[in-house]
Amino acid sequence: MDRFIYLTFDGLSRGLVYAAFALALVLIWRAARIVNFAQGSMAVAAVYVAYSVTNATGSYWLGFVVALLAGLLLGVLVERVVMRFVDHSSPLNGVVVALGLVLVLQGTLGIIYGNEYQPVETPFSRDAFEVGGIAMLSRYDLFVFAAVGTVVVVLTLLFTRTAIGLRMRAAAFAPDVSRLLGVSVGGMLTLGWALAAAVGSLAGMLVVPTELGVHPTAMDVVFVSAFTAAVVGGLDSPIGAVVGGLIVGLLLSYVSGYIDVTVAPMAILALLVLVLLGKPGGLFSSSKARVA
Amino acid sequence: MTGALLQVDGLTAGYGAAPVLHDVGLTVQPGEIVAVLGANGAGKTTLLRTLSGLVRSSGGRVLFDGADLAGTKVEHLVRRGIAHVPEGRGVVTELTVDENLRLGGLWRRDRADARKALDEVYELFPPLAQRRTFAGHQLSGGERQMLALGRALVGRPRLLLLDEPSLGLAPKVTGQIMALLRDLRERTGLAVLLVEQNVRSALSIADEGVVLALGRVVARNKASVLRDDADLRHAYLGF
Ligand SMILES: Nc1ncnc2c1ncn2[C@@H]1O[C@H](COP(=O)(O)OP(=O)(O)OP(=O)(O)O)[C@@H](O)[C@H]1O
Ligand SMILES: [Mg+2]
């Protein structure tokens, strides 16, 4: 029972990171109908920037803030310089360009920083404190909860309560109509990419220190988990991304804990295949609304 | 003619190489309702889309209130006073009634008047006021038409480009919409460029009519004259 509780908290903590990363995928999917396969590499680039800043200044928090800003900037650049010019008549075009971007980013990061894992510090202890003799959460887990929770609340308020959020949703659903109503659809697209890349960078900052450290391919495995989370949630639904992230996190934690770590990636793939076969629209798909 | 609200001369436009519109000319005076008529595929929708910049023109000139619209971005059109209600109504079905209406006034600096205009639309269309939180896809065809029209009115336009408002609606509802347009014109001086398949109801409220066939203007005259021109009706309008 102790172990179950520990694994549950561990799974929720991981799951929130996947949720954040899946949220970034959903943001771009909703805005541009592209699965951004470069999201992982973009996040790694931001983590490297933070790594450099923290090494130079000794401040984790300065690095943290710069990583988010670097994410925003990278999102703007990728949309304005690359994705805007992709012919979207076939959905495959965006995928191929994104994969090309992965190669460019990983190659560039490898040249600058080398292809070794570099350990990254965490701002809080990762030792779980015990409540009634049961190891539950670390301070770092609480930090992850707070960070992802903040992102979810801020994004929800942005999309449901603000004029910019209304513009972004309208531009995504009905670009021509939105332009006729005075919405700068191109601007909303750029903003969507920027937000998504910043959220992806946050997820990178949260997850990289808990694994082997920063490396040009450090987010590849996380990408697969987060992509599965997004698909489970229906790609279209922010709530779905969060719930999908938690499901994937728990699954990974239980499988690693009760069976074996090496089986965990198989479990993720099995989940992905099951969802695609059984409910390809995801558990929270809003495709009904689209068809009508 | 001087003082025209919309003056179109020699407009040529299309998708890709072959033009769909050839040398189209028309005029809309302030407060005037001009009907654009023609068979399926005549180029009526293309004409409206070209006027609002969604389709690029390859020749000709469009003057709105004396100023050339060339180079005006689509998203800046509402600021000039032109509202385009597209074919198929263009309600954003994923958004609620209230969100759709608010969207129509987001660009406006005068927030107080934008709110006032929104309240007026709810007064004008009570069924919308009862369904503020409904998603667009939960509305009937007639309610969607009210919503699309109401959303355009929130921007207090001077010219309305209206593409087939009667599409799929019962004759009674179509009649109500036509009556509303006439009423708006009387009260606010709104000018309308009205694309319609429903020739009778369009000509019943229009001052002028323009008949398109294969992308060319084949007749341009007073609505009353077009109504009584049996040859023209048989040749191009099918009744
Ligand atoms: N997106 C497009 N790409 C290529 N050709 C198009 C496109 N839209 C319309 N056309 C062509 O342009 C011509 C005029 O179409 P348009 O939609 O303007 O006609 P319409 O008068 O509005 O017809 P309807 O009464 O059926 O709505 C048609 O021959 C049509 O095939
Ligand atoms: Mg048409």
Side-chain angles (χ1 to χ4, degrees):
Chain A
M1 191 61 201
D2 296 4
R3 187 159 174 71
F4 178 75
I5 292 173
Y6 172 77
L7 288 175
T8 302
F9 278 111
D10 180 56
L12 291 178
S13 173
R14 289 181 194 218
L16 279 174
V17 174
Y18 300 143
F21 206 68
L23 216 46
L25 291 173
V26 166
L27 280 176
I28 290 180
W29 174 259
R30 280 169 63 116
R33 298 283 134 183
I34 290 175
V35 176
N36 181 19
F37 283 93
Q39 187 97 57
S41 309
M42 290 165 68
V44 171
V47 174
Y48 268 117
V49 171
Y51 173 79
S52 301
V53 169
T54 299
N55 278 353
T57 63
S59 163
Y60 172 85
W61 295 109
L62 191 59
F64 185 82
V65 172
V66 171
L68 299 191
L69 294 178
L72 278 176
L73 187 67
L74 197 54
V76 171
L77 283 177
V78 167
E79 196 278 317
R80 280 285 156 110
V81 180
V82 183
M83 289 300 174
R84 180 155 292 199
F85 302 100
V86 175
D87 170 14
H88 291 305
S89 56
S90 154
L92 214 53
N93 295 348
V95 173
V96 172
V97 170
L99 289 176
L101 205 57
V102 171
L103 296 180
V104 170
L105 282 171
Q106 290 188 348
T108 310
L109 292 172
I111 291 169
I112 299 176
Y113 293 98
N115 279 308
E116 293 91 44
Y117 280 94
Q118 327 235 20
V120 180
E121 64 168 321
T122 56
F124 301 104
S125 157
R126 295 195 57 220
D127 299 332
F129 30 31
E130 300 189 355
V131 179
I134 306 172
M136 286 173 39
L137 287 165
S138 66
R139 284 178 193 282
Y140 189 69
D141 290 330
L142 289 179
F143 170 56
V144 170
F145 283 30
V148 178
T150 306
V151 165
V152 170
V153 169
V154 166
L155 286 181
T156 307
L157 291 179
L158 175 74
F159 278 106
T160 59
R161 295 291 157 85
T162 70
I164 280 285
L166 180 53
R167 286 192 185 93
M168 289 180 75
R169 281 187 294 151
F173 291 133
D176 275 358
V177 169
S178 299
R179 294 176 73 197
L180 290 174
L181 296 169
V183 176
S184 162
V185 172
M188 293 305 118
L189 196 57
T190 308
L191 186 57
W193 275 84
L195 277 179
V199 173
S201 303
L202 172 75
M205 287 299 289
L206 295 176
V207 74
V208 163
T210 68
E211 307 207 334
L212 296 173
V214 63
H215 182 277
T217 63
M219 293 293 283
D220 286 8
V221 176
V222 176
F223 180 89
V224 175
S225 302
F227 175 65
T228 306
V231 172
V232 168
L235 265 181
D236 239 337
S237 154
I239 303 164
V242 173
V243 175
L246 293 177
I247 291 174
V248 168
L250 287 170
L251 180 71
L252 271 178
S253 187
Y254 293 144
V255 171
S256 310
Y258 288 121
I259 307 172
D260 197 89
V261 195
T262 53
V263 188
M266 305 275 279
I268 295 301
L269 282 181
L271 177 66
L272 183 59
V273 170
L274 267 179
V275 169
L276 287 179
L277 286 179
K279 212 163 181 305
L283 307 179
F284 294 82
S285 138
S286 57
S287 56
K288 268 202 269 330
R290 280 226 67 94
V291 172
Chain B
M1 250 191 279
T2 54
L5 185 62
L6 183 74
Q7 172 87 44
V8 180
D9 295 304
L11 193 66
T12 303
Y15 313 84
V20 170
L21 297 179
H22 308 266
D23 192 25
V24 171
L26 59 86
T27 310
V28 182
Q29 301 295 335
E32 192 179 38
I33 299 180
V34 176
V36 178
L37 311 169
N40 291 119
K44 307 181 294 297
T45 296
T46 305
L47 172 61
L48 292 197
R49 290 173 62 83
T50 308
L51 291 179
S52 57
L54 288 171
V55 171
R56 200 169 301 173
S57 66
S58 51
R61 196 177 60 152
V62 180
L63 295 182
F64 181 72
D65 212 12
D68 200 326
L69 280 187
T72 303
K73 287 187 178 173
V74 179
E75 51 263 42
H76 289 159
L77 221 64
V78 272
R79 292 172 176 76
R80 305 284 289 265
I82 302 177
H84 180 171
V85 179
E87 193 171 23
R89 309 195 178 92
V91 163
V92 187
T93 53
E94 292 89 347
L95 300 181
T96 66
V97 168
D98 203 58
E99 286 170 336
N100 267 286
L101 287 180
R102 287 206 326 261
L103 197 57
L106 281 186
W107 60 274
R108 299 191 57 193
R109 287 275 166 76
D110 188 347
R111 300 311 305 158
D113 190 61
R115 252 188 310 277
K116 189 158 158 271
L118 196 139
D119 289 338
E120 286 172 18
V121 167
Y122 277 132
E123 259 171 56
L124 196 59
F125 300 112
L128 295 184
Q130 290 156 15
R131 293 172 175 75
R132 286 172 199 243
T133 58
F134 279 42
H137 64 86
Q138 293 174 300
L139 300 182
S140 75
E143 288 159 358
R144 285 184 204 204
Q145 186 57 58
M146 291 177 205
L147 182 52
L149 203 54
R151 192 179 58 190
L153 296 179
V154 173
R156 296 210 195 280
R158 288 194 291 158
L159 173 67
L160 194 59
L161 307 177
L162 201 51
D163 200 343
E164 301 218 28
S166 75
L167 196 73
L169 297 188
K172 189 170 153 232
V173 184
T174 305
Q176 286 167 352
I177 285 172
M178 297 300 154
L180 174 71
L181 290 179
R182 190 158 37 192
D183 184 50
L184 280 170
R185 187 259 299 270
E186 299 306 326
R187 280 194 297 125
T188 68
L190 178 68
V192 184
L193 190 60
L194 173 66
V195 163
E196 261 301 336
Q197 288 278 337
N198 192 329
V199 177
R200 268 174 223 274
S201 47
L203 287 180
S204 74
I205 64 155
D207 306 294
E208 297 271 332
V210 175
V211 181
L212 283 184
L214 298 177
R216 292 174 203 278
V217 175
V218 291
R220 217 173 135 176
N221 216 324
K222 293 246 165 296
S224 52
V225 176
L226 293 177
R227 234 175 357 235
D228 298 333
D229 185 337
D231 292 344
L232 183 84
R233 283 187 345 223
H234 289 308
Y236 298 109
L237 304 175
F239 79 103

